[in-house]
Amino acid sequence: MPTPLTPPSVFGNVHLGYIVIETDKFADWRRFGKDAIGMHHDDLATDVMRFRLDDNECRFLLQRGPAEDVTALGWHLDDHATVDQIIARVTGHGVPVVEGTSDEAALRGVERLLRFPGPNGLTQEIYTTARTGPMPLDMHSAGFVTGDAGMGHVAITSKKPHHLRGYYNTVFDARLTDYIDETISGVKLKIRFLRVNARHHSVAIAAVQKLPINPIRTRVQHLNIQVAELDDMTNSYQRVRELGFDMALGVGQHTNDRELSYYARTPSGFEWEVGWNPIVVDENTWEPTTHHGISIWGHTPVGQTIIDKLDQFRLGAKSMIHREDTIRPLSGTGIADD
């Protein structure tokens, strides 16, 4: 009997393309995104705004609503064959794929989009063609690193990290880059870093199994964008402070991807990392390893008090209202640690 053919991997054909955020704090987000972080800003209507990092019409879509959270991740796929392959994987496991409307695609700056459910309440959206913005970029930055590596990454806290890893492996052939073991406030955490292309990671998953609740209210703990020049990182850090936005972690350097970065707190409550110069994975030589501690230096909390920590867990209690759906047909039994 002939051996069944192994479907080709989609690894390398997948890139984080845009992020959708629901918020009622439009004025604060405009100041944060444009004036502090330094992105190009477009107001489309009273209930819709967008930020750009490059020629694409949309990298961040903000829609009015009460969630104060990220609601969807948009993934740019290289070609229609990759789209067909991912659709077949998702529907083959009994999970529905729905086509977005032309208006929804236009808001995201893409020609056509498809969506399906993702873990932790994050809808996954896929597309092949992004539209370019008609207006020249107006940014407080020399530029952001996007392209083949995608626009950055997201970090998610989960009490079911093995299932999240299983999901992204099934759908996008995500590969394990490395781990970080860290102890924060006496709690031991293991963070898994997954890549779908040469960027060190597009998804980071922080395990919180041993805590009574997930302490993070939002679907993502933080998202990341990468500046092209070091001065852009330090200048945006200064603007965040001067404009009065909360700084979660000061400037530091990570142990695993060696990125120099800081973390600001967004108007919606999740954190926003601005980074510079992370390493690029060489698929020919890379081997996953475990790093001890998140940072080589820096990344110290800025102005955090015990009241802030208690408030964090108070907000975390709200996460119990939302079931942490792992989309079991796609995550399966999960992937155990290597």
Side-chain angles (χ1 to χ4, degrees):
M1 174 180 265
T3 303
L5 294 176
T6 301
S9 173
V10 300
F11 180 87
N13 296 347
V14 181
H15 325 273
L16 184 60
Y18 62 77
I19 291 175
V20 182
I21 298 167
E22 183 179 298
T23 179
D24 274 328
K25 301 178 180 179
F26 269 42
D28 291 338
W29 265 104
R30 187 179 297 107
R31 290 179 63 247
F32 180 83
K34 176 178 172 56
D35 299 332
I37 302 301
M39 299 181 290
H40 177 100
H41 166 260
D42 289 312
D43 269 327
L44 302 188
T46 56
D47 58 353
V48 180
M49 73 166 67
R50 297 193 300 207
F51 293 113
R52 291 171 56 193
L53 301 174
D54 53 16
D55 288 340
N56 284 20
E57 271 189 358
C58 177
R59 289 297 189 178
F60 294 96
L61 171 65
L62 278 68
Q63 298 177 299
R64 195 172 295 281
E68 301 302 341
D69 202 353
V70 172
T71 58
L73 306 179
W75 298 93
H76 180 205
L77 308 182
D78 281 349
D79 49 50
H80 292 291
T82 303
V83 172
D84 292 343
Q85 194 170 343
I86 289 175
I87 291 174
R89 291 180 181 186
V90 174
T91 58
H93 284 83
V95 177
V97 175
V98 178
E99 184 162 1
T101 66
S102 57
D103 287 343
E104 289 172 329
L107 285 177
R108 291 155 174 78
V110 301
E111 291 190 1
R112 177 178 177 240
L113 74 95
L114 298 137
R115 63 164 60 95
F116 48 90
N120 220 30
L122 286 168
T123 299
Q124 310 291 300
E125 301 181 349
I126 55 176
Y127 66 97
T128 58
T129 305
R131 295 174 174 152
T132 56
M135 301 296 292
L137 289 167
D138 177 16
M139 303 190 300
H140 298 306
S141 170
F144 295 90
V145 178
T146 54
D148 288 343
M151 58 170 280
H153 68 251
V154 295
I156 304 168
T157 59
S158 173
K159 292 181 69 63
K160 304 173 183 179
H162 297 155
H163 290 92
L164 264 70
R165 184 178 167 192
Y167 177 95
Y168 284 106
N169 175 265
T170 298
V171 177
F172 295 133
D173 290 314
R175 298 178 181 176
L176 175 71
T177 304
D178 49 33
Y179 301 102
I180 288 180
D181 288 341
E182 177 67 285
T183 300
I184 300 176
S185 300
V187 177
K188 292 183 178 181
L189 301 177
K190 180 177 283 290
I191 309 172
R192 298 149 181 84
F193 295 82
L194 307 181
R195 69 187 187 278
V196 293
N197 52 54
R199 185 180 286 278
H200 180 275
H201 60 284
S202 292
V203 177
I205 305 166
V208 291
Q209 305 106 301
K210 295 183 180 180
L211 293 179
I213 60 171
N214 186 335
I216 305 300
R217 173 190 64 83
T218 51
R219 294 178 177 92
V220 302
Q221 187 275 328
H222 78 262
L223 58 82
N224 162 283
I225 58 174
Q226 181 185 340
V227 292
E229 297 184 6
L230 177 59
D231 284 350
D232 289 329
M233 189 203 71
T234 56
N235 290 340
S236 65
Y237 177 87
Q238 287 299 118
R239 291 193 301 268
V240 168
R241 299 296 302 271
E242 290 168 359
L243 289 169
F245 292 103
D246 290 338
M247 188 66 65
L249 298 176
V251 175
Q253 186 175 27
H254 287 301
T255 53
N256 58 344
D257 67 1
R258 301 304 173 105
E259 186 172 32
L260 200 68
S261 69
Y262 69 85
Y263 294 74
R265 190 165 288 109
T266 67
S268 293
F270 57 87
E271 294 175 14
W272 186 294
E273 181 185 21
V274 177
W276 173 75
N277 199 35
I279 60 176
V280 176
V281 171
D282 181 346
E283 295 298 331
N284 295 316
T285 60
W286 191 268
E287 292 289 340
T289 57
T290 297
H291 301 265
H292 297 281
I294 292 173
S295 306
I296 300 171
W297 60 269
H299 287 142
T300 55
V302 177
Q304 190 176 55
T305 68
I306 187 61
I307 300 300
D308 298 321
K309 294 296 294 182
L310 291 173
D311 194 53
Q312 180 185 25
F313 279 88
R314 179 184 62 80
L315 292 173
K318 294 183 179 180
S319 68
M320 298 178 70
I321 300 171
H322 308 287
R323 180 168 161 262
E324 189 181 331
D325 195 348
T326 56
I327 318 299
R328 286 298 293 269
L330 291 170
S331 62
T333 57
I335 297 179
D337 294 333
D338 298 345

